[in-house]
Amino acid sequence: MHAPSLPGQTIEAYESVTDDDRIRRLHSLADTLEDASILHVNSTATGGGVAELLRSIVPVCRDLGIDDNWLVMDATDDFYEVTKAMHNGLQGEGAPLTEEMQATYREVNERNAADIDATYDIVVLHDPQPMGMLDSVQEAMPDAPIIWRCHIDLTDPVEEYLSFVADYAERTDHAIFSRGVYGEAIDVPTKRIIHPSIDPVTAKNRSLDEETAAAECDHLDPLSFDAPIVTQVSRFDPWKDQFGTLDAYRRARKTISDLQLVLVGGMAGDDPEGLELYERVAAEAADDPDVHVLTDLPDLTVNLLQRRSDVVVQKSLREGFGLVVSEALWKRTPVVGSNVGGIPLQIEDGYNGYLVEPDDTKRAADRLVTLFEDDERRATFGSNGREHVREHFLLPRQLEDLLTVFVDVLD
Ligand code: UDP
């Protein structure tokens, strides 16, 4: 296990985006937790929403005086193959979970568990990857409540993967899901729903001055900011459906002839499928100079693209939450997104974007055209999106929900 290096952050940084009462409540929750030592465990320090959340939550908790810690598993490619299969299986698609896969999973988890000092009062295991350390952690810290923080949509899983994970989950003390329906199939002693959030003060989401924005635009040459742009930001993962996005773009381009598509993607450290999918998407787009397939961009550049695109699209087939939707809405960019997982929590159809069924690229294209042809609608949806995120999906709200759970489980 290793502790990722983290930026410093202060709670004061959030005062301009949240009300004073919430800041007071956060201080009060933190006071209650001042003697508690908390550990989060996940399987990657970069790439994907879980790393994004922890990178914000842990530094702010520390500033509040909470002893909050984050350890990332050390693992081999064969472990990530297994856990990606598990992730796919929990989302509804998968090859059989063999004895050998289970043995790899257990062995890597036990090795990582041996690195944990038995000094924590609460242990939070994120997603299925670290659940295999449950028994060792319980044995080492019998009094510490163990929380399973599940970020995945479990509504249509392959049964054998669900029961493998449920066997662990049902022996934890508490589970947190991103939506109510995700936890229905799992029988944990207590459950809570916490919607994720974005961090408005990071390089990814903060406002950009003109000079910085202009420099970022230059980095993106030959993309033209004088012609319409639609962007999707997603790991290269089959569930993010970059091919569906390409199809919607091609259809929309029959009407918006100078439309450009940007597909921004990264490879999460624990996702072995990324590179192959990236190569397939890049090959498919190679003969169209108006499709830009960009990898591993700095956060400021992602920020600029989400901000300066006319529309953002998120054509996922499954989506635990989809932080990228709130990231775009916060920047006043309307989003056309699939009606799956956490996306409908964020997009109100016809208010700040449009929802489409995940297999309906024709409809997605029609919605893109509607937005591209109507500047006023885009502006209205943009400001609606900003307010929707301000109200529901900024970090201080999620932090309050999370600290409330920590206080409750120690009660
Ligand atoms: N992300 C990024 N660069 C990329 C692709 C993704 O910075 O090339 C970030 C994105 O901005 C978001 C997170 O990774 O903060 C993805 O979280 P989300 O919940 O949308 O999806 P997940 O990857 O967890 O399935």
Side-chain angles (χ1 to χ4, degrees):
M1 300 265 254
H2 62 278
S5 65
L6 290 171
Q9 190 50 276
T10 64
I11 186 67
E12 283 79 32
Y14 300 88
E15 282 174 357
S16 63
V17 291
T18 194
D19 59 82
D20 296 348
D21 282 349
R22 195 185 299 278
I23 300 280
R24 268 193 291 278
R25 289 197 301 273
L26 283 170
H27 280 290
S28 155
L29 286 160
D31 289 348
T32 311
L33 291 166
E34 83 178 333
D35 296 325
S37 180
I38 296 158
L39 173 66
H40 298 268
V41 183
N42 85 324
S43 62
T44 180
T46 55
V50 180
E52 188 85 11
L53 290 174
L54 289 172
R55 198 158 283 283
S56 293
I57 286 171
V58 174
V60 186
C61 280
R62 287 183 182 169
D63 184 62
L64 281 164
I66 301 170
D67 180 19
D68 205 24
N69 302 276
W70 173 18
L71 289 176
V72 175
M73 298 176 74
D74 293 322
T76 48
D77 288 350
D78 55 348
F79 176 79
Y80 296 134
E81 297 281 348
V82 172
T83 54
K84 188 68 203 287
M86 231 171 233
H87 189 268
N88 290 342
L90 291 172
Q91 294 202 136
E93 213 170 71
L97 178 62
T98 63
E99 285 296 327
E100 193 187 343
M101 290 163 79
Q102 296 182 35
T104 301
Y105 177 81
R106 291 200 180 95
E107 192 246 311
V108 172
N109 263 289
E110 275 158 27
R111 208 173 54 228
N112 277 275
D115 289 343
I116 302 178
D117 295 330
T119 55
Y120 298 99
D121 299 296
I122 298 175
V123 178
V124 189
L125 303 175
H126 289 262
D127 279 345
Q129 293 92 331
M131 289 291 272
M133 50 184 80
L134 181 72
D135 295 311
S136 309
V137 171
Q138 274 173 336
E139 199 178 315
M141 290 172 268
D143 296 329
I146 300 190
I147 298 173
W148 184 40
R149 175 60 174 105
C150 173
H151 301 266
I152 301 174
D153 178 349
L154 298 178
T155 49
D156 187 21
V158 175
E159 202 44 51
E160 95 180 296
Y161 285 93
L162 182 70
S163 69
F164 183 79
V165 171
D167 175 56
Y168 290 107
E170 292 175 5
R171 290 183 291 118
T172 62
D173 300 282
H174 190 94
I176 301 173
F177 298 95
S178 298
R179 276 186 76 184
V181 285
Y182 294 177
E184 281 171 5
I186 296 209
D187 190 16
V188 196
T190 53
K191 295 179 197 172
R192 201 71 62 86
I193 310 308
I194 300 185
H195 300 321
S197 62
I198 62 162
D199 186 339
V201 305
T202 55
K204 173 80 60 65
N205 296 314
R206 69 172 166 79
S207 58
L208 299 179
D209 59 55
E210 273 312 309
E211 201 182 318
T212 311
E216 290 300 329
C217 288
D218 288 348
H219 291 152
L220 288 162
D221 185 63
L223 182 69
S224 165
F225 288 86
D226 296 325
I229 300 174
V230 56
T231 295
Q232 175 164 314
V233 178
S234 299
R235 287 180 295 108
F236 286 102
D237 174 332
W239 299 103
K240 306 293 185 182
D241 198 21
Q242 278 93 349
F243 286 106
T245 306
L246 264 168
D247 188 37
Y249 151 81
R250 284 174 179 152
R251 290 170 186 268
R253 204 172 136 94
K254 289 184 183 145
T255 311
I256 314 290
S257 60
D258 55 350
L259 183 61
Q260 305 166 95
L261 171 67
V262 186
L263 292 172
V264 181
M267 326 286 171
D270 62 347
D271 185 350
E273 289 180 314
L275 186 58
E276 190 213 327
L277 185 60
Y278 161 71
E279 285 169 351
R280 281 176 41 221
V281 171
E284 172 75 22
D287 60 353
D288 184 341
D290 287 324
V291 179
H292 303 260
V293 184
L294 308 174
T295 57
D296 297 318
L297 295 184
D299 283 354
L300 264 187
T301 318
V302 174
N303 181 339
L304 183 279
L305 271 169
Q306 289 171 324
R307 195 172 290 282
R308 289 290 174 90
S309 296
D310 301 278
V311 181
V312 155
V313 67
Q314 191 58 38
K315 252 233 22 62
S316 309
L317 305 173
R318 288 268 193 290
E319 192 62 76
F321 182 72
L323 290 175
V324 283
V325 173
S326 279
E327 287 170 0
L329 293 174
W330 178 242
K331 295 162 189 130
R332 299 189 171 86
T333 305
V335 183
V336 175
S338 300
N339 191 12
V340 295
I343 295 178
L345 295 172
Q346 301 170 79
I347 299 179
E348 283 188 37
D349 190 55
Y351 177 73
N352 56 13
Y354 289 113
L355 290 168
V356 295
E357 290 314 307
D359 55 355
D360 197 347
T361 51
K362 181 177 176 313
R363 182 95 169 151
D366 290 348
R367 291 313 203 181
L368 289 177
V369 170
T370 303
L371 284 167
F372 277 109
E373 287 183 332
D374 189 340
D375 296 351
E376 206 173 309
R377 188 184 311 230
R378 281 204 314 280
T380 307
F381 280 23
S383 40
N384 292 345
R386 172 96 175 175
E387 290 318 306
H388 189 63
V389 173
R390 187 195 304 280
E391 200 173 327
H392 301 286
F393 301 120
L394 293 185
L395 186 84
R397 192 272 309 144
Q398 183 184 204
L399 204 53
E400 185 178 356
D401 291 347
L402 193 61
L403 297 188
T404 304
V405 171
F406 291 164
V407 168
D408 288 353
V409 295
L410 286 178
D411 206 6

